[in-house]
Amino acid sequence: MERGKISKILDISWRFGVTTASNDCDNVAKSFLQLKLCLEDDGIVKNVFIEMTIGQFYKFLHDLEKAKCNIDLLL
């Protein structure tokens, strides 16, 4: 996916998880979220996978809400 190019979102699926075992004790019991975005770009469909911490997810959600408000102002 090229930078600056806009793809159409066809589907979003997500999965929430908790790390139960790790070589690093600090990572045990940490929550995470996995997103699967199904995108269409010039007729080509591709899946993009993203994993983020809960903190990163809340920042992502905040940014989406901010973008929606900006789009609503334009319409």
Side-chain angles (χ1 to χ4, degrees):
M1 192 165 35
E2 295 177 29
R3 190 164 185 82
K5 197 165 192 172
I6 298 175
S7 298
K8 181 179 179 182
I9 299 173
L10 301 176
D11 189 33
I12 298 175
S13 58
W14 59 276
R15 193 169 22 177
F16 175 78
V18 178
T19 305
T20 57
S22 174
N23 291 338
D24 183 7
C25 292
D26 292 337
N27 286 333
V28 175
K30 297 281 180 167
S31 302
F32 62 90
L33 185 83
Q34 295 175 333
L35 290 177
K36 176 185 166 190
L37 304 173
C38 183
L39 306 175
E40 181 183 6
D41 191 16
D42 293 331
I44 300 169
V45 176
K46 55 175 116 174
N47 293 316
V48 177
F49 299 91
I50 303 167
E51 183 171 304
M52 58 185 83
T53 65
I54 299 303
Q56 290 170 324
F57 170 71
Y58 280 121
K59 167 106 175 65
F60 175 68
L61 183 61
H62 172 74
D63 291 344
L64 286 177
E65 289 172 344
K66 199 160 102 176
K68 182 188 178 308
C69 287
N70 289 331
I71 290 171
D72 287 345
L73 286 174
L74 296 173
L75 299 176

